Amino acid sequence: MKIVDLFLSFAIFFHSPFVSQAFNHDSNYTRPPPRANFIVTHGHPNFYPQQVHLSLAGKDHMRVTYITDDMNVASMVEYGKHPKRYDVKATGESITYRFLFYSSGKIHHVKIGPLQPSTTYYYRCGGHGKEFSFRTPPSTFPVEFAVAGDLGQTDWTVKTLDQISKQDFDVFLLPGDLSYADNHQPLWDSFGRLLENLASTRPWMVTEGNHEIESARIIEEHISFKAYNARWLMPHAESLSHSNLYYSFDAAGVHIVMIGSYTHYDSHSDQYRWLREDLRKIDRKRTPWLVVVMHTPWYSTNKAHEGEGEKMRKAMEGLFYRAHVDVVFAGHIHTYERFRPVYNHKADPCGPIYITIGDGGNREGLAYKFHNPRSPLSAFRESSFGHGRLKIIDKKRAHWSWHRNNDNFSVIADEVWFESPKSSPHCIFNHFRGEL
């Protein structure tokens, strides 16, 4: 298996009005094209845990995911509040999968908790390997999210992850297109190793993109998310979703909804019914902010993937509007673009801010072609690699910044302070005219 993986790795390597302050100009900055895939090998014994990452798993709980080549390693995490002192041991479940000639390692998912907020824990996976540590998110404001989509695993991805690691955050949000494995399963392993240093210290919450769709069409009739679902188990069960492709969770005073662009979304679909019920149950006194993450943008002035999200927008935008969604993040288009509050293609102070952030470092290159003149709905747009930061200050105020990632340092190219539309009596009146 290792020889096959190595061969594929080498083959793939050579394949290759609430706004108070903002920068509103189109940037003239240009970025060189992406580079070859950055392949990360294991280099440890088969029993050694690898590809360690964290995710939130319900109130006061975290899920630890890791992979071992040795199928006899236990699905077990030891953890505590002091280095090398593990007071608690939790056991979990494991899964393996096959894809053509590829056989995965043993993928372990272990749920730990209850955990205290804003607390550092030290942990070890499977009784072997090195010690890791993480800090739990806070229970109250402020809370900060790092956001980057369409990551891939190029040198630009490495730069993006490096820039993110230089400034602390509480939760990572990834709006789809993770590894860009595109059926080449060893790239999933390389991707997991690449992000381990960061993903083992803070929870990573992800949703699927088109590059998570995988199908061995010779033997499978339908597309699937086999690798994604096996490797990136999200809290869908904890949020009463029947699919790993859409779910929700809370972080401090923020309710985050992750929806699926590549599963059914019409008004008769399971996803639509789940979303409507999830939004209905939100207590905005307990979670004053509402954020949505998906892959395909509903609003864009870029010529790439033009109109692909329109059917989904027509199906679901009314739910967003009536639920007082504050911010919507998407990826897919390899650029950065921030919109002013909008609803049904018109400026609306009660609508969400839509942000496309599909510029994490993918191998396909950037989407440079925009429609001109620029729509007045578009507040800022630029095609270069980078990441974003959403800091929720309190129940009304938030700050968003987009950081262009130069080679050795990060540059804030766009930022804006804003307030939640629900704080406006006008918006509350308008929204309560309709029902979810």
Side-chain angles (χ1 to χ4, degrees), residues 9 15 63 80-81 86 88 99 143 157 189 223 248 277-278 295 309 315 324 328 348 350 352 356 365 370 407 416:
S9 296
H15 216 282
R63 180 173 286 109
K81 296 180 182 179
Y86 309 125
V88 186
F99 190 91
V143 61
T157 311
D189 295 310
I223 61 172
S248 66
E277 190 61 28
D278 187 79
H295 187 61
H324 311 271
V328 179
D348 190 323
C350 303
T356 298
F370 289 98
D407 279 342
V416 60

Side-chain angles (χ1 to χ4, degrees), residues 182-201:
D182 294 330
N183 293 330
H184 300 290
Q185 298 304 304
L187 277 183
W188 276 110
D189 295 310
S190 176
F191 179 74
R193 298 175 195 127
L194 174 64
L195 56 82
E196 181 183 84
N197 286 340
L198 193 58
S200 62
T201 64

